[in-house]
Amino acid sequence: MTADPLGVLTGVHFIDGDHAACEGALAAGCRFVAGYPITPSTEIVERFASRIPLVGGVFIQMEDELAASIAVQGAIWGGQKSMTVTSGPGLSLMMEHIGLAAFTEVPLVIIDVQRGGPSTGLPTLPAQADMMQVKWGSHGDYEIIALCPSSPQECFDLTVRAFNLAEQWRTPVFVMMDEVVGHMTERVQIPAPEAIEVVERRWTGLKPGDYRPFQPAEDLVPDMVRVGDGYRIHVTGLTHDERGYPAMNPAAQDKLVRRLATKIRDAGDALVDVREEACEDADVIVVSYGITSRVAQAAVEQARAQGVRVGHARLVIAWPFPSQRMAELAARTKAFVVPELNLGQMSREVERAVAGRVPVRLIDHAGGTVHEPDRILAGILEAAR
Amino acid sequence: MSKTEIRIGGLGGQGVILSGMILGRAASIHDGRHATLIQAFGPEARGSACSAQVTVSDVPIGYPYVRQPGILIVMSRDAYTQFVPQIHPEGILLYEQDLVQPENLPAGVRAFGIPATRMAEQLGRRLVLNIIMVGFCTGVTQVVSEASARQAVIDSVPRGTQKLNLDAFQAGFEFGRNLVVAPSPVAP
């Protein structure tokens, strides 16, 4: 189906990434946000709070991030598309409820506008250091999806997509922005509502009595109901069976945890989005994501001007990590260069996928600003030797 | 392939960010080029230092920050002191002449002053200082087209103030155009 025209601000705008992400959520059908505003994500909820009375929906400023991250899950079980919005310190506080969302298969969207950390860190300056936290931050085995916009336009596009993926796969989906992308203002084109594809909730076709809330469909994802529509449902953070009732034994644990991991890990190309440029015959491939992609592109072009055959692979979907694609690229290149605004996070995933076949050179950065393109260029030139 | 880096500096409350918005909007929406605006994001408040960075380009913009502005617009002495060391050796300096006295400028830099605060007061609202500077920048540098800048002003100011703001734009634009006839934009 396509977007509800009420939420779509069709036209060409000059807005920042935070505002664009808010418009993406509205276009995707998000009608409930609970948040505890935090720099550099505040503008997203500010805009949502001012826009939602015109569209029809609710914004609640909660008492803290724990409350925000559970209120949105209540709204989702109540039938709404919902999200919460935060930055590193808030994300840390949300971890318990992110685990609950993964385990109870709540189609939850979380926007993380990354800033320098750890702890309070650099509230107004960028980093990309929450990449491992969103994957591994809550305890237990589970899989999430993470998207990495590199421009305000992509903040809009990928927030729409995050809602669609959340509904399709019923797992928490993260939009991994950063302070620069969030506060950078550029042209953003919002299409007409009929041109925006929106994935509706997987409403069950079964009648009350026949429906079991955690009975998976063929793609391993169960269908949903709306609380209050007459279906008997039970949702618990304990290990549960298809009826949703606690089933605390090794067999039920194996069945459930394995299904939650497998539905994402085995999704194949549906959850791979690597934008490749000139990787086919490259001696060096730069792997980047988010704001760093734009800085890296400047370095890639400088390296080409010096005669180096360099490709650029940009991760639009960072999680699940495209291990197979990286392994394929490793078979035909001599080295990888991975610039990121942290001291080595996704570069380790590249190393894992490449499994020692070619060297992986991390161009790290502790955060607070973006790389100087010259540093990435130097890394490319050294790797090409 | 042309790319121009613009730095706008002044005090919080002078409309520094809005002037960056107008230039960016004019370039990216109405001129059909690419523009990226970055605001200095910190504990800025009314009366303290404030700055905006705008990159305008014919091709998509990668590195988002301004490093060596080809156009530097300053509305306060502090902004002049802070940013003039970054200016491109052949850049253009646009300054509020009652607030800034340029000194020690690199030889290749062309400097153009305007009594924008007094002009704003003559128009009846000191607040339109920033719009006068946008008009001045358009008139001197042509980094955005006059028609696009004018439309971006209309898009960007509160309803009911369009005429005042367009008058301010026009005053700055004509002042600038009279100082210089069609210089080629600087491409750092």
Side-chain angles (χ1 to χ4, degrees), chain A residues 164-178:
Chain A
N164 289 345
L165 291 172
E167 296 297 341
Q168 184 180 352
W169 297 100
R170 285 191 62 182
T171 200
V173 178
F174 295 85
V175 183
M176 301 302 289
M177 292 168 53
D178 63 78

Side-chain angles (χ1 to χ4, degrees), chain A residues 208-221:
Chain A
D210 297 336
Y211 171 75
R212 293 197 291 174
F214 294 95
Q215 176 71 47
E218 250 180 46
D219 60 358
L220 302 181
V221 184

